[in-house]
Amino acid sequence: MAEVSLTSVSKTYPDGTHAVRDLDLDIADGEFLVLVGPSGCGKSTALRMVAGLEAISSGELRIGGRHVNNVAARDRDVAMVFQSYALYPHLSVRDNIGFGLQLRKVRKAEINQRVEAVAHTLGLFEHLDRKPRNLSGGQRQRVAMGRAIVRNPQAFLMDEPLSNLDAKLRVQMRAEISRLQRELGVTTLYVTHDQVEAMTLGDRVAVIKKGVLQQVAAPQELYEHPVNLFVAGFIGSPAMNLVQGTIESGDGDAAHHLRLGSQRIPLPDSVLARTPGLRAAVGTAVAVGIRPEDMEDASVADAEPGPTLGSTAELVEALGAELLVHFVLDAADVVTEDTKELARDVGQELTEGEETATTPMIARFSPRSPVQEGASVRVRFDPERLYFFDLATGEAFDSADRTPTQMRGDA
Ligand SMILES: Nc1ncnc2c1ncn2[C@@H]1O[C@H](COP(=O)(O)OP(=O)(O)OP(=O)(O)O)[C@@H](O)[C@H]1O
Ligand SMILES: [Mg+2]
């Protein structure tokens, strides 16, 4: 086991593509670190540089304190698990798992003993003599894991190892990988574009956009304190709602108000107190973020008191445990470099300077909500749970403390 550290690591492919730029990452001994980001952001490139499958253009890579930039892949003592599993079709499960040990001329008796121990751990013992084609997808994935584990490497490197599995199996294997990694305590660098996988597996999660690290933090920290619009919009499902708003200095009951299109809600002093940078933005447009679960139907009996916004429920998706309620605010949407990149990731295109006058929103309501498609709705939310970002830079206005939401305590 070992720590893995990247210092200002960059990759420029021969055709000039800057796939990874100045990546700094320190993965502690035994830590599970997940690299996450949209397709093409440079995740696989970063992982392959650590594995030794791709040359490092500049910067330094250390594994267990050893400078390994120029060390061949086979001498780095890391084990890689690929999306494709890369099993040998003509070899049995036993030989697939033991292959790396055979290459290293480990004694046959020891190979057998180690392979069987790993097969036990992975529930593959009964299948040791089968060929990969006679295994289910999940079992093949386990064989690929077994091949990595049996070598006792200093680090595991995994590139979307679950993406070929169906949704149910993926959830099951996710739990299994998490358990195994904890048991073995092997330093792990895991690549995925699935933010749910990232959040559930990672001790820490590193979010990458276009080859550049945006933020690396524990999952809940990323969720509560995203540093910019990109991280805010990428982490969370359904995604954080982003809409343009203006903080107006107040009159009457509250010192400040938040204007969202034609509606205005009072903004408690505590919000400005915990977000000091926001005071300077009073009177100008900012990006306002509201997570779907921080909204509730105001007519639900036990909804906490608080400001509401009126709209029409355009679509209600009943998911059993919750309702996803789509509505529209007559406030401009947020179009920045970050939100354009987020839109691209889901196959949409935003054009700067062409903000729409309305913004679609999604709220997660309690199933007790009587909301009806096509009918008007009052959406209650907690101003303490709002996020604020600079429209020009996309950076979050610093926020000291965001208290956990009380609204969905029943969820
Ligand atoms: N051999 C190569 N030569 C030139 N460009 C490459 C090469 N391999 C990858 N790229 C480019 O480098 C960038 C990063 O690619 P990479 O495969 O690391 O992304 P990724 O984050 O793993 O994406 P995905 O989620 O789709 O697997 C992309 O723009 C890609 O087109
Ligand atoms: Mg990839």
Side-chain angles (χ1 to χ4, degrees), residues 241-243 314 326-329 331 333 356 358-362:
N241 297 285
L242 294 167
V243 58
E314 308 223 322
H326 299 239
F327 62 98
V328 171
L329 288 181
D333 65 350
T356 53
T358 59
T359 301
M361 309 278 288
I362 298 180

Side-chain angles (χ1 to χ4, degrees), residues 229-293:
L229 282 169
F230 183 79
V231 177
F234 192 78
I235 300 291
S237 178
M240 182 189 289
N241 297 285
L242 294 167
V243 58
Q244 287 194 39
T246 308
I247 294 164
E248 298 177 341
S249 52
D251 45 16
D253 54 337
H256 293 89
H257 285 82
L258 175 63
R259 173 168 293 284
L260 294 169
S262 61
Q263 307 189 58
R264 220 172 66 126
I265 57 154
L267 209 54
D269 284 340
S270 55
V271 173
L272 280 108
R274 72 163 162 82
T275 321
L278 208 50
R279 286 197 188 277
V282 171
T284 62
V286 296
V288 180
I290 313 176
R291 293 222 182 259
E293 64 272 32

Side-chain angles (χ1 to χ4, degrees), residues 49 135 204 243 270 360 366:
M49 284 193 285
L135 298 174
R204 284 187 304 154
V243 58
S270 55
S366 149

Side-chain angles (χ1 to χ4, degrees), residues 24-343:
D24 289 316
L25 271 183
D26 283 303
I27 310 155
D29 190 12
E31 185 178 24
F32 198 133
L33 188 117
V34 180
L35 278 186
V36 70
S39 183
C41 74
K43 305 177 296 291
S44 294
T45 302
L47 194 76
R48 292 169 61 81
M49 284 193 285
V50 176
L53 301 174
E54 205 68 75
I56 295 171
S57 305
S58 65
E60 189 188 26
L61 171 67
R62 289 176 167 273
I63 298 176
R66 187 166 69 121
H67 178 99
V68 293
N69 284 49
N70 301 311
V71 173
R74 66 177 176 282
D75 298 324
R76 287 193 188 184
D77 198 13
V78 296
M80 184 126 174
V81 182
F82 298 93
Q83 166 181 353
S84 62
Y85 318 144
L87 301 180
Y88 300 106
H90 58 288
L91 295 184
S92 65
V93 168
R94 180 186 296 276
D95 289 340
N96 262 289
I97 296 177
F99 191 76
L101 299 180
Q102 283 173 28
L103 278 186
R104 282 170 176 71
K105 307 264 186 283
V106 177
R107 280 181 307 111
K108 194 149 185 13
E110 186 185 339
I111 294 178
N112 270 331
Q113 186 217 330
R114 280 165 69 175
V115 167
E116 286 175 14
V118 166
H120 256 304
T121 314
L122 292 170
L124 287 170
F125 197 76
E126 291 81 73
H127 309 306
L128 275 172
D129 297 317
R130 286 202 199 174
K131 297 279 165 60
R133 68 170 175 278
N134 299 324
L135 298 174
S136 69
Q139 290 165 338
R140 280 179 213 167
Q141 218 289 324
R142 281 192 200 108
V143 176
M145 287 289 295
R147 201 168 43 183
I149 293 169
V150 80
R151 286 178 42 200
N152 248 330
Q154 299 214 61
F156 290 141
L157 306 174
M158 305 195 197
D159 195 348
E160 313 222 14
L162 305 183
S163 55
N164 280 342
L165 303 176
D166 64 50
K168 200 169 164 193
L169 201 50
R170 202 152 59 219
V171 171
Q172 189 189 327
M173 288 303 298
R174 191 170 79 199
E176 208 159 305
I177 287 181
S178 179
R179 174 184 65 83
L180 272 171
Q181 198 272 345
R182 259 170 247 283
E183 265 173 38
L184 302 167
V186 177
T187 311
T188 301
L189 182 55
Y190 184 105
V191 161
T192 180
H193 64 261
D194 177 349
Q195 54 95 19
V196 176
E197 219 168 278
M199 296 290 278
T200 50
L201 282 173
D203 293 321
R204 284 187 304 154
V205 176
V207 183
I208 299 191
K209 180 191 82 174
K210 291 181 168 175
V212 180
L213 180 65
Q214 305 292 301
Q215 186 172 10
V216 51
Q220 203 59 29
E221 172 72 15
L222 275 186
Y223 195 79
E224 299 287 336
H225 300 287
V227 295
N228 59 29
L229 282 169
F230 183 79
V231 177
F234 192 78
I235 300 291
S237 178
M240 182 189 289
N241 297 285
L242 294 167
V243 58
Q244 287 194 39
T246 308
I247 294 164
E248 298 177 341
S249 52
D251 45 16
D253 54 337
H256 293 89
H257 285 82
L258 175 63
R259 173 168 293 284
L260 294 169
S262 61
Q263 307 189 58
R264 220 172 66 126
I265 57 154
L267 209 54
D269 284 340
S270 55
V271 173
L272 280 108
R274 72 163 162 82
T275 321
L278 208 50
R279 286 197 188 277
V282 171
T284 62
V286 296
V288 180
I290 313 176
R291 293 222 182 259
E293 64 272 32
D294 291 331
M295 294 187 267
E296 184 55 282
D297 185 338
S299 74
V300 167
D302 57 0
E304 312 249 325
T308 61
L309 294 169
S311 187
T312 303
E314 308 223 322
L315 175 69
V316 177
E317 298 175 282
L319 301 183
E322 66 195 21
L323 307 176
L324 291 186
V325 180
H326 299 239
F327 62 98
V328 171
L329 288 181
D330 62 350
D333 65 350
V334 176
V335 182
T336 69
E337 195 47 49
D338 280 351
T339 59
K340 284 195 297 190
E341 192 62 22
L342 290 166

